[in-house]
């Protein structure tokens, strides 16, 4: 049977993977050649962004200078994008997942499966939920996850990197590998959705720490220490809440590699450095520096703090707790090395 892929999201990362998926589906017989991409409609230079993408084949706002394949079709209507899809690729900020799933419920084919490229967790009064679980529970379909050391612009420029797909059903993992894998974007698949997903969410908190270290000009040894302590706390948290998370997952691209690249580049590091050098709040810097993108590290730090404080566990996670307090309680940034 022919699989049909739809992309939910078209920001910087969404557009970079659209380029890969658009090319890959045309190489295989078992995929429909058209890939619809849902675009939250906005005006750019007086024109609809969808019209610009469909005529210029470029997302001039979120991924300028990169040509998208002509079989990627921008669509402003979420239902129309997804109604005939058998493979959904979620690549939106995590705060939009609930409303998207509500709109899609009962409107997609029964044999549909999903993959989440979203780095975040959903916190509620009872604790927290993984994004893949939100998708599975609300739509009644299986969901994989993709996460790795994948700064979007570098992927779009075809600079070599790796990524990790976590699956529960191996056939799903292999199908999604088909649409993502290229010689410059190397995919490894592992049977550990939870481990891959938690790495992707938690490393953004550690990246705030990396940026604070840069702003304080503390040097490479200090940053390496923050990365090591961060990886240790990521693993400890994952194992504490999900006993079957695999140790090997932390050595995949989604684990140590993503942590390193996010602490070296990426928006969380950049904004945290500016927080130290300018003294401005994270909210103000997000608006000034990110061109409408969301800063994931601060909100995830807040989510983590809420989980840990409810369970009286903050003392067991000194790095994540200190980063939260610097972001939200005006703790001086130098405390990043004093309080851990």
């Amino acid at each position: 049977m022919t699989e049909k892929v739809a992309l939910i999201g078209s920001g910087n990362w969404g557009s970079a993977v659209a380029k890969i998926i658009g090319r890959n589906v045309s190489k295989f017989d078992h995929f429909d050649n058209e890939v619809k991409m849902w675009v939250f409609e906005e005006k750019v230079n007086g024109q609809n962004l969808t019209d610009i993408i469909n005529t210029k084949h470029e997302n001039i706002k979120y991924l300028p200078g990169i040509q998208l394949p002509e079989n990627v079709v921008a669509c402003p209507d979420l239902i129309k994008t997804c109604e005939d899809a058998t493979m959904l690729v979620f690549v939106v900020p995590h705060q939009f997942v609930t409303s998207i799933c509500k709109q899609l419920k009962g409107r997609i084919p029964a044999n549909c499966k999903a993959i989440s490229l979203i780095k975040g967790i959903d916190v509620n009064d009872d604790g927290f939920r993984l994004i893949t679980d939100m998708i599975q529970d609300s739509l009644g379909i299986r969901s994989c996850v993709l996460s790795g050391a994948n700064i979007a612009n570098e992927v779009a420029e075809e600079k070599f990197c790796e990524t990790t797909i976590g699956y529960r059903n191996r056939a799903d993992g292999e199908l999604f590998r088909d649409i993502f894998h290229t010689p410059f974007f190397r995919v490894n698949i592992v049977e550990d959705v939870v481990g891959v997903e938690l790495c992707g969410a938690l490393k953004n908190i550690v990246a705030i720490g990396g940026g604070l270290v840069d702003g304080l000009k503390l040097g490479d040894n200090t940053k390496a220490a923050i990365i090591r302590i961060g990886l240790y706390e990521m693993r400890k948290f994952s194992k504490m809440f999900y006993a079957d998370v695999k140790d090997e997952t932390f050595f995949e691209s989604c684990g140590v590699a993503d942590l390193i690249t996010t602490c070296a580049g990426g928006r969380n590091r950049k904004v945290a450095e500016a927080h130290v050098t300018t003294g401005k709040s994270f909210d103000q810097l997000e608006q000034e520096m990110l061109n409408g993108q969301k800063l994931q590290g601060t909100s995830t730090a807040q989510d983590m703090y809420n989980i840990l404080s409810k369970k009286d566990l903050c003392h067991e996670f000194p790095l994540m707790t200190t980063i939260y307090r610097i972001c939200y309680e005006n703790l001086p940034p130098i405390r990043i090395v004093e309080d851990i």
Side-chain angles (χ1 to χ4, degrees), residues 162-317:
E162 301 177 300
T163 200
T164 314
I165 288 177
Y167 65 86
R168 290 187 176 93
N169 173 293
R170 186 167 178 96
D172 291 352
E174 290 173 352
L175 261 181
F176 281 112
R177 180 173 58 194
D178 285 345
I179 65 168
F180 285 106
H181 182 80
T182 75
F184 63 85
F185 190 65
R186 184 185 290 165
V187 177
N188 193 31
I189 67 171
V190 296
E191 193 176 356
D192 185 7
V193 170
V194 174
V196 174
E197 190 160 357
L198 282 173
C199 281
L202 299 177
K203 58 97 198 191
N204 281 327
I205 305 175
V206 185
I208 298 282
L212 296 171
V213 167
D214 287 341
L216 293 161
K217 303 209 167 15
L218 290 172
D220 295 334
N221 295 346
T222 309
K223 189 184 256 191
I226 296 297
I227 290 172
R228 186 207 68 78
I229 297 164
L231 187 65
Y232 173 79
E233 290 192 8
M234 284 163 57
R235 179 180 168 275
K236 183 175 182 177
F237 179 88
S238 302
K239 295 272 199 181
M240 191 175 274
F241 288 89
Y242 294 93
D244 52 355
V245 166
K246 296 174 178 168
D247 273 339
E248 306 88 87
T249 302
F250 295 90
F251 296 98
E252 291 290 338
S253 182
C254 62
V256 65
D258 195 12
L259 186 57
I260 292 167
T261 199
T262 313
C263 288
R267 61 185 109 154
N268 293 284
R269 188 218 64 80
K270 182 170 75 171
V271 172
E273 181 181 36
H275 171 70
V276 179
T277 55
T278 66
K280 293 177 181 175
S281 74
F282 281 93
D283 282 346
Q284 188 181 347
L285 291 166
E286 178 182 67
Q287 287 172 346
E288 288 177 10
M289 296 174 70
L290 294 187
N291 184 31
Q293 286 185 293
K294 289 281 170 234
L295 191 65
Q296 302 280 12
T298 47
S299 57
T300 310
Q302 187 172 35
D303 292 342
M304 281 293 297
Y305 181 78
N306 292 340
I307 295 163
L308 295 173
S309 54
K310 271 192 190 131
K311 299 193 181 290
D312 196 24
L313 290 168
C314 290
H315 60 285
E316 292 206 40
F317 295 89

